[in-house]
Amino acid sequence: MSSGRAAKILGVSRIKMIEMMNKWGIYIFDEEHDLEELRQEVEQAELILNQQKF
């Protein structure tokens, strides 16, 4: 299960889920799929940030 899906089930943000997993000693990069999902999220965040620059 991805951290994003787990966060959705628990009703918390993905960032909060990652923080919780870190606290519990769960490494989030066990699967290539998670790395690809993270890469896509970083790209999306960069696009949003670049659009907000004045």
Side-chain angles (χ1 to χ4, degrees):
M1 176 183 298
S2 71
S3 59
R5 181 161 167 81
K8 188 172 185 177
I9 291 169
L10 293 174
V12 298
S13 70
R14 184 157 188 249
I15 298 296
K16 180 66 177 172
M17 186 70 220
I18 291 170
E19 289 172 351
M20 291 165 60
M21 291 170 68
N22 185 47
K23 181 179 177 183
W24 298 329
I26 301 170
Y27 187 61
I28 64 168
F29 299 110
D30 288 339
E31 299 178 16
E32 181 65 30
H33 182 263
D34 286 338
L35 290 174
E36 178 61 20
E37 185 178 309
L38 180 60
R39 184 191 64 75
Q40 290 174 358
E41 288 183 14
V42 168
E43 285 180 1
Q44 187 67 21
E46 287 175 339
L47 286 173
I48 292 168
L49 289 173
N50 287 333
Q51 290 174 354
Q52 292 180 355
K53 290 185 180 177
F54 297 84

